[in-house]
Amino acid sequence: MSDRIFGGFGLALAIFYIWAASIIKDSFMVDIVGPRAFPYIVGAILGLTSIYFILRPDDEPEWPIMRDFAEILFAGAVMLLYAWSLPEVGFIISTIFATAYLTWRLGTAPLWSLAIGVMTSVGIYVVFHLILGLSLAKGPLGF
């Protein structure tokens, strides 16, 4: 039943997507393919895969218990808090805490989670900021 519901939503989205693509106006510089070709392809693939889910659903999945749903919601809240804290405390500090929490919840020991958070944060900072020269959020400590 859940696959059929998923397929129904996907099919509705595909129909809307193809309709929205059909009202894209041509610009004065039109190439051979035009601006609607790619959205039509995406909508058609989404529609075909959704029809497959409707016609050939899998067996009903075994859904997680409420405690596991709460765990997933809390991990999502941590990611939102991470995004919110980036401009305030910077990339390194935010990433340390987010990575440490998430690895801890995945089963790593708390001290190892903190170590993994530090190594991940510093490693990403070195590669993306120092080597590649990309801009990352700076915190009150300047990094």
Side-chain angles (χ1 to χ4, degrees), residues 6-53:
F6 176 72
F9 278 117
L11 187 58
L13 180 63
I15 291 168
F16 174 76
Y17 196 79
I18 291 171
W19 171 80
S22 72
I23 61 173
I24 295 174
K25 295 188 186 325
D26 288 330
S27 71
F28 65 94
M29 293 180 10
V30 178
D31 59 359
I32 295 171
V33 177
R36 292 181 288 277
F38 184 72
Y40 281 155
I41 292 169
V42 171
I45 291 171
L46 178 60
L48 290 173
T49 55
S50 297
I51 290 170
Y52 178 81
F53 276 110

Side-chain angles (χ1 to χ4, degrees), residues 86-137:
L86 272 171
E88 304 298 322
V89 296
F91 176 81
I92 290 184
I93 296 170
S94 296
T95 304
I96 287 171
F97 287 109
T99 305
Y101 173 78
L102 293 172
T103 55
W104 172 60
R105 295 314 306 148
L106 287 171
T108 308
L111 192 57
W112 274 110
S113 292
L114 186 59
I116 290 169
V118 169
M119 290 186 291
T120 302
S121 181
V122 171
I124 292 172
Y125 183 81
V126 166
V127 170
F128 285 94
H129 185 69
L130 299 180
I131 295 174
L132 297 176
L134 298 175
S135 178
L136 298 174

Side-chain angles (χ1 to χ4, degrees), residues 66-86:
M66 188 55 79
R67 180 182 156 285
D68 294 337
F69 273 126
E71 193 78 41
I72 292 167
L73 288 175
F74 203 73
V78 166
M79 295 307 296
L80 288 173
L81 182 63
Y82 171 69
W84 173 80
S85 69
L86 272 171

